[in-house]
Amino acid sequence: IIGLRYFNVFGPKQNPNGPYAAVIPIFINKLLQQEVCTIYGDGTNHRDFTYVSNVVQANLLAATTSNVDSLNQVYNRAYGATETINDLYELIRSQVNSALVPNYATPRPGEIKDSFAEIAKAQKALGYMPNVNLNDGVLNTINWYKNNSQ
């Protein structure tokens, strides 16, 4: 058995409107439609965002490992770096060429300030090396939404 813990996975085809929608598809969808985005809190909270192909790579490594020492362990599925929500917003805003500024709202109850996934264990035991960084993943995702919006 191998346990997998996922951190802020994003990529094409995510539903930006569902009750559990992630921040990246929400920001992309709203900015492409020239709608104001809401950031809860002051936007300085940190998150570890990882593109879906990184997670697929990690899952395949976990499913096919022959390293018996890697079994019966839990591994983080993430990129291994953090970004603030403000910086994420600016990245997306600049890539969709929008001048909209976000609306800041009261922080959501129970939301943690910072989240960072340590991936060294997965790197050592499984050979995991994320290959798509945040900038490239966001650009791929934006392009998908641009080409597939209805």
Side-chain angles (χ1 to χ4, degrees), residues 53-74:
S53 68
N54 294 335
V55 172
V56 170
Q57 177 210 144
N59 290 352
L60 289 172
L61 289 168
T64 60
T65 186
S66 58
N67 177 1
V68 294
D69 293 333
S70 67
L71 302 178
N72 301 313
Q73 299 291 319
V74 176

Side-chain angles (χ1 to χ4, degrees), residues 114-135:
D114 298 306
S115 175
F116 171 69
E118 176 59 60
I119 63 170
K121 182 178 173 182
Q123 289 174 314
K124 181 178 179 190
L126 302 172
Y128 173 57
M129 293 300 294
N131 55 13
V132 179
N133 65 32
L134 180 63
N135 292 350

